[in-house]
């Protein structure tokens, strides 16, 4: 039987070398099946007891969902059926993804065997010589009798079962199967195959639900997180696996989630929402290391903030809340100016008003500076930046981020506005902590996420601020164009990614 810690939502192992590292892993298929007989739902603990295979070198895995399919366009339930094909829009999305990844030195491509995914993989893979490997475990979720039905047909034919699929998917049962539980077990099998392959940079082209399961099982989340980590058509997600000690499971970090071919605030994936928080990391500053945002932005930072302002141009932003540090205030000002001028097309126009606020609990400079660790050689946006600090510093950051998160939810709860989008500008560490709070996780997960300068992350609240938050994207940087961090970096002569 799987042992469960009563105080934490998953087991974690600390490895003492140069920094405190949190390692997460998932359980085997047999253990998952054994636990499903006696439990109504699978929770994160079941995916954290048996470690992933050890690796000898750093490995980056890039997940891509297939482009729009004919059944996507029709609103049919696809599941693992293989009757739909890419639409013209889907082909164009795949081509955009090909251009996005064209300079990346992938060693291997794994693909679902289903046509919509395999065709997307062929377009992205292009003229690369190596063969695409298909794996049946990468097929979309098996939905049995639901497959092929329009949504209203599913409701009419299956009634309460269809309703459970919508509101309680982890416990949804059809034809004697629990599809989401089976999917999580398959995803765990996929990671064994992918991590055992002798490659450094891996492309995986699959589907919405299975990519969600791959991301979730990698960072130790159970089936209750189904539909929480969105995957749009041709959305790109990146996971980094870093070896620690020989024979030990790797350190795992979600580098980005759902970088889409189109704007992340305009995509249609997921449920509609009237409440949204957009986390904006301030642009590059004059400080190269230990950048807490206190220094003003440099020229690159100003470009990044302007690009972010343009990306958010068509949103009706209610409030911009920033840390009081210089770089954050500068970034917030750039976004507000573009927002206020958005509707001014004539001489007699009335500028849009955007409320601006400063929140002291978003300021982390004192916490980062009080650390006894030497981080002088660590850029603030490196993937393992948080893991360089001692527990006391991380706890202080976690406590402060908790206060900030409550303030943001209170701001979003204003009932005077039916629709409300707030933009929050701060340091990457406070945004990472905010996402962990949004997912209702503990501080041990803070090392599992990464953000770059100038990036945005989007959190939706389809059931309001009191309900579950849904992550639309993490570390979106496509709007930065030539100034963005590439999706992947060349693996040639690189010890790490």
């Amino acid at each position: 039987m799987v042992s469960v810690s009563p105080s934490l939502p998953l087991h974690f192992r600390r490895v003492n070398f140069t920094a405190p590292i949190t390692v997460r892993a998932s359980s085997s298929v047999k253990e998952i099946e054994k636990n499903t007989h006696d439990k109504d739902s699978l929770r994160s603990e079941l995916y954290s007891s048996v470690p992933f295979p050890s690796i000898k070198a750093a490995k980056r895995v890039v997940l891509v969902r297939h482009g729009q399919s004919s059944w996507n366009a029709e609103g049919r339930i696809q599941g693992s059926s293989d009757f739909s094909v890419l639409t013209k829009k889907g082909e164009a999305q795949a081509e955009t993804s090909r251009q996005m990844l064209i300079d990346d030195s992938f060693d291997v491509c794994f693909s679902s065997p289903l046509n919509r995914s395999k065709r997307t993989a062929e377009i992205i893979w292009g003229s690369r010589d190596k063969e695409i490997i298909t794996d049946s475990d990468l097929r979309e979720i098996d939905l049995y009798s639901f497959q092929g039905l329009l949504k209203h047909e599913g409701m009419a034919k299956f009634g309460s079962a269809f309703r459970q699929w919508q509101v309680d998917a982890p416990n949804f049962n059809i034809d004697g199967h629990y599809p989401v539980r089976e999917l999580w077990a398959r995803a765990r099998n996929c990671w064994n195959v992918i991590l055992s392959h002798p490659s450094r940079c891996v492309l995986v082209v699959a589907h919405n639900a299975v990519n969600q399961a791959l991301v979730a099982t990698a960072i130790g989340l159970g089936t209750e997180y189904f539909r929480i980590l969105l995957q749009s058509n041709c959305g790109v997600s990146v996971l980094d696996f870093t070896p620690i000690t020989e024979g030990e499971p790797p350190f795992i970090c979600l580098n980005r989630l759902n970088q889409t071919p189109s704007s992340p605030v305009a995509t249609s994936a997921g449920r509609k929402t009237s409440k949204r928080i957009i986390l904006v990391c301030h642009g590059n500053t004059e400080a190269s290391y230990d950048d807490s945002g206190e220094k003003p932005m440099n020229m690159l930072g100003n470009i990044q903030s302007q690009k972010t302002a343009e990306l958010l141009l068509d949103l009706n932003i209610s409030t911009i809340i920033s840390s009081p540090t210089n770089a954050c205030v500068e970034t917030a000002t750039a976004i507000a100016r573009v927002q206020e001028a958005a509707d001014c097309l004539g001489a007699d126009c009335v500028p849009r008003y955007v409320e601006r606020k400063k929140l002291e609990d978003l300021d982390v400079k004192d916490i980062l500076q009080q650390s006894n660790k030497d981080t002088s050689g660590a850029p603030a946006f490196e993937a393992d930046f948080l893991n360089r600090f001692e527990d006391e510093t991380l706890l202080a950051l976690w406590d402060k981020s908790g206060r900030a998160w409550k303030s943001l939810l209170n701001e979003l709860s204003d009932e005077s506005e039916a629709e409300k989008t707030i933009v929050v500008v701060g340091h990457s560490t406070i945004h990472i902590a905010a996402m962990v709070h949004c997912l209702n996780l503990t501080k041990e997960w803070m090392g599992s996420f990464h953000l770059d300068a100038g990036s945005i992350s989007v959190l939706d609240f389809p059931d309001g601020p009191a309900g579950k938050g849904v992550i639309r994207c993490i570390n979106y940087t496509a709007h930065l164009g030539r100034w963005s961090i590439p999706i992947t970096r060349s693996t040639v002569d690189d010890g790490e990614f």
Side-chain angles (χ1 to χ4, degrees):
M1 191 62 119
V2 176
S3 171
V4 178
S5 166
S7 58
L8 292 175
L10 90 167
H11 295 302
F12 65 96
R13 179 180 299 133
R14 284 295 172 100
V15 180
N16 296 316
F17 61 119
T18 59
I21 293 290
T22 302
V23 179
R24 299 179 186 82
S26 298
S27 62
S28 68
V29 177
K30 288 183 179 179
E31 286 170 328
I32 291 172
E33 291 299 325
K34 181 170 64 175
N35 280 276
T36 59
H37 294 310
D38 300 321
K39 292 180 181 269
D40 291 332
S41 63
L42 289 175
R43 301 198 58 80
S44 297
E45 296 92 336
L46 300 184
Y47 297 93
S48 59
S49 60
V50 177
F52 280 113
S54 62
I55 56 177
K56 295 183 178 179
K59 186 185 290 278
R60 173 163 285 183
V61 179
V62 178
L63 307 175
V64 183
R65 182 189 173 188
H66 64 77
Q68 185 195 62
S69 70
S70 53
W71 279 20
N72 285 152
E74 293 172 17
R76 291 191 182 277
I77 300 171
Q78 295 185 108
S80 57
S81 65
D82 200 14
F83 298 104
S84 65
V85 296
L86 290 189
T87 62
K88 289 183 178 179
K89 180 178 179 179
E91 297 258 350
Q93 290 169 331
E95 174 60 24
T96 300
S97 294
R98 186 186 75 83
Q99 293 291 337
M100 187 187 303
L101 301 171
I102 196 167
D103 293 326
D104 295 314
S105 55
F106 291 111
D107 300 314
V108 66
C109 175
F110 289 91
S111 171
S112 159
L114 304 184
N115 284 322
R116 57 193 184 273
S117 176
K118 192 162 60 173
R119 176 59 184 149
T120 301
E122 290 169 351
I123 293 172
I124 296 174
W125 200 238
S127 60
R128 292 179 175 91
D129 294 333
K130 295 178 181 177
E131 184 180 5
I132 297 173
I133 301 172
T134 58
D135 187 337
S136 63
D137 275 343
L138 287 171
R139 70 187 185 277
E140 184 57 301
I141 185 172
D142 298 315
L143 289 176
Y144 305 99
S145 294
F146 272 18
Q147 294 179 175
L149 298 176
L150 294 168
K151 292 177 182 177
H152 73 270
E153 293 173 340
M155 177 61 77
K157 186 173 182 179
F158 290 96
S160 60
F162 187 82
R163 178 63 178 163
Q164 186 180 37
W165 165 239
Q166 292 179 311
V167 302
D168 187 22
N171 295 312
F172 163 65
N173 183 299
I174 186 170
D175 300 335
H177 295 270
Y178 290 88
V180 177
R181 300 180 188 183
E182 293 175 350
L183 178 68
W184 249 242
R186 272 204 277 122
R188 185 57 175 80
N189 277 345
C190 290
W191 282 126
N192 286 334
V193 174
I194 293 168
L195 294 179
S196 299
H197 191 275
S199 55
R200 292 285 311 283
C201 199
V202 181
L203 176 65
V204 177
V205 184
H207 306 266
N208 177 14
V210 71
N211 282 8
Q212 288 185 53
L214 286 168
V215 171
T217 53
I219 60 176
L221 303 180
T223 54
E224 68 271 27
Y225 286 88
F226 182 61
R227 296 199 184 108
I228 299 298
L229 306 167
L230 294 187
Q231 299 287 307
S232 303
N233 287 122
C234 277
V236 175
S237 300
V238 180
L239 286 147
D240 288 333
F241 298 79
T242 306
I244 300 173
T245 305
E246 186 175 354
E248 294 285 346
F251 167 65
I252 304 168
C253 180
L254 180 60
N255 182 281
R256 69 186 67 231
L257 177 82
N258 201 28
Q259 178 144 309
T260 53
S262 57
S263 167
V265 294
T267 52
S268 59
R271 296 165 58 198
K272 292 182 179 179
T273 184
S274 60
K275 304 287 185 178
R276 172 176 286 174
I277 294 176
I278 299 177
L279 304 175
V280 176
C281 285
H282 65 73
N284 279 77
T285 73
E286 295 175 359
S288 298
Y289 299 106
D290 275 354
D291 180 13
S292 60
E294 184 60 24
K295 297 288 186 180
M297 286 190 295
N298 57 21
M299 183 180 294
L300 175 57
N302 287 319
I303 292 172
Q304 291 169 329
S305 64
Q306 188 63 32
K307 291 286 186 180
T308 298
E310 292 170 4
L311 176 71
L312 304 178
L313 175 64
D314 294 327
L315 289 181
N316 188 8
I317 294 172
S318 305
T319 309
I320 301 175
I321 302 174
S322 76
S323 162
T325 56
N326 289 325
C328 296
V329 172
E330 289 174 351
T331 301
T333 300
I335 296 171
R337 284 176 177 169
V338 171
Q339 281 286 310
E340 290 168 351
D343 298 328
C344 290
L345 301 178
D348 58 349
C349 73
V350 178
R352 179 193 301 172
Y353 173 71
V354 179
E355 185 178 18
R356 283 185 255 179
K357 298 181 179 180
K358 296 177 184 177
L359 182 61
E360 289 291 337
D361 281 329
L362 290 174
D363 183 2
V364 296
K365 66 177 183 299
D366 291 340
I367 294 175
L368 299 183
Q369 291 169 359
Q370 76 182 10
S371 171
N372 296 319
K373 294 286 185 180
D374 178 14
T375 58
S376 59
F381 293 98
E382 275 193 1
D384 66 344
F385 182 71
L386 277 170
N387 289 315
R388 296 171 187 265
F389 294 101
E390 60 277 277
D391 287 342
E392 292 79 6
T393 301
L394 294 178
L395 181 59
L397 173 64
W398 180 249
D399 289 343
K400 194 167 192 178
S401 69
R403 296 193 297 272
W405 183 245
K406 288 180 181 178
S407 297
L408 297 178
L409 292 183
N410 287 336
E411 181 73 33
L412 202 64
S413 300
D414 184 0
E415 296 181 357
S416 65
E417 297 180 72
E419 296 188 4
K420 188 158 189 174
T421 296
I422 64 174
V423 169
V424 182
V425 185
H427 188 269
S428 62
T429 55
I430 200 77
H431 288 339
I432 287 172
M435 290 188 295
V436 175
H437 283 292
C438 180
L439 292 171
N440 197 30
L441 299 172
T442 60
K443 65 181 178 64
E444 285 73 31
W445 262 275
M446 287 195 293
S448 296
F449 301 91
H450 167 74
L451 295 175
D452 290 307
S455 68
I456 75 164
S457 302
V458 181
L459 316 180
D460 287 349
F461 296 85
D463 298 314
K468 284 184 177 180
V470 174
I471 310 294
R472 179 164 292 278
C473 68
I474 293 173
N475 199 28
Y476 184 91
T477 58
H479 63 293
L480 301 179
R482 63 188 295 180
W483 292 279
S484 68
I485 301 294
I487 288 289
T488 67
R489 300 187 180 99
S490 171
T491 60
V492 179
D493 297 328
D494 284 345
E496 296 181 356
F497 293 101

